[in-house]
Amino acid sequence: MSLFPHVKFLLGAHQPKQFPMDEGCEVAIAGRSNAGKSSAINAIVGRQNLARSSKTPGRTQQINFFELTPLNRLVDLPGYGFAKVPINVRRHWGVLLESYFDQRQSLAGAMVVMDARHPLTDIDAQMLDLAATRVLPIHVLLTKADKLSRSAAMKTLSETRKALGARATVQLFSSTAKTGVEEAREVLMKWLADRG
Ligand code: GDP
C-alpha cells in the first residue's frame, strides 16, 4: 500500500512565479546528482518511478513539486551537482534555489541526500548552508548504505552526526535494501503533521 495513494507530479518551476500556491505544507528534498535522491523519493513515498518524472529532459534544472495530498507537497530540488553546466545555467539555478528557500512559507523541513560513501562534499555543504538560511529542521539521508559494510556504515553515521552537531539529524538509508525507509517516513510525516 502506498503511503500516499494519490501522489502525483504537480509541476516543474523554472521561475518563482511558477511555484504553486504557497499554502498547506511542503517538505523539500535536495541532493547532488546521482546521490540516490530519486530512488529515495520513490522508496519513501512508496511509488516506483514517481521521481523519474523529475529526470525527464528539461526537468533536471527546475524545482519539481509533487502533490502528496491536496495540501501536502514533496519538493524535489534536483541537480545541484552542477559543476559541468554553463555558468549562466548555474547562476539561474542558484538564484531559483535561493528564492525558493527565501519565499516558501509552507516549507516545513529539508531533507538532504548524500552518498554514504562520501558525504559532506562541498556541494552538500552548500545545500546545508542554503537550508540553514531558514529556521528549519534538516534531516540528512546517507544513501546507498548497502554499499558499505555494517561497521563502515555505522562509522560514517557517527562521523557525520558529529560533524553536523545540532545543525541536522542524520540517518543511514538504502533504497535497494529498503533500510531506513520507515525512519525517513516518520520524519516526513512528523514535519507535515507539526505544521497541521
Ligand atoms: P539521483 O540522481 O540523486 O536522483 O539518483 P538516483 O536515485 O537516480 O540513483 C543514482 C544511481 O544510484 C542509480 O543507478 C541507482 O540505481 C543507484 N542507487 C540509488 N539508491 C541506491 C541505493 O540505496 N543502493 C544502491 N546500491 N544503489 C542505489
Side-chain angles (χ1 to χ4, degrees), residues 49-74:
N49 299 330
L50 177 73
R52 189 189 281 169
S53 39
S54 352
K55 294 210 148 189
T56 47
R59 287 193 184 158
T60 51
Q61 294 294 334
Q62 62 185 21
I63 296 185
N64 294 299
F65 293 82
F66 295 95
E67 185 179 281
L68 300 171
T69 68
L71 282 176
N72 286 161
R73 292 170 301 276
L74 191 61

Side-chain angles (χ1 to χ4, degrees), residues 20-37:
M21 283 269 287
D22 197 359
E23 60 181 0
C25 178
E26 66 193 29
V27 168
I29 178 159
R32 200 164 54 85
S33 3
N34 215 37
K37 179 168 52 63

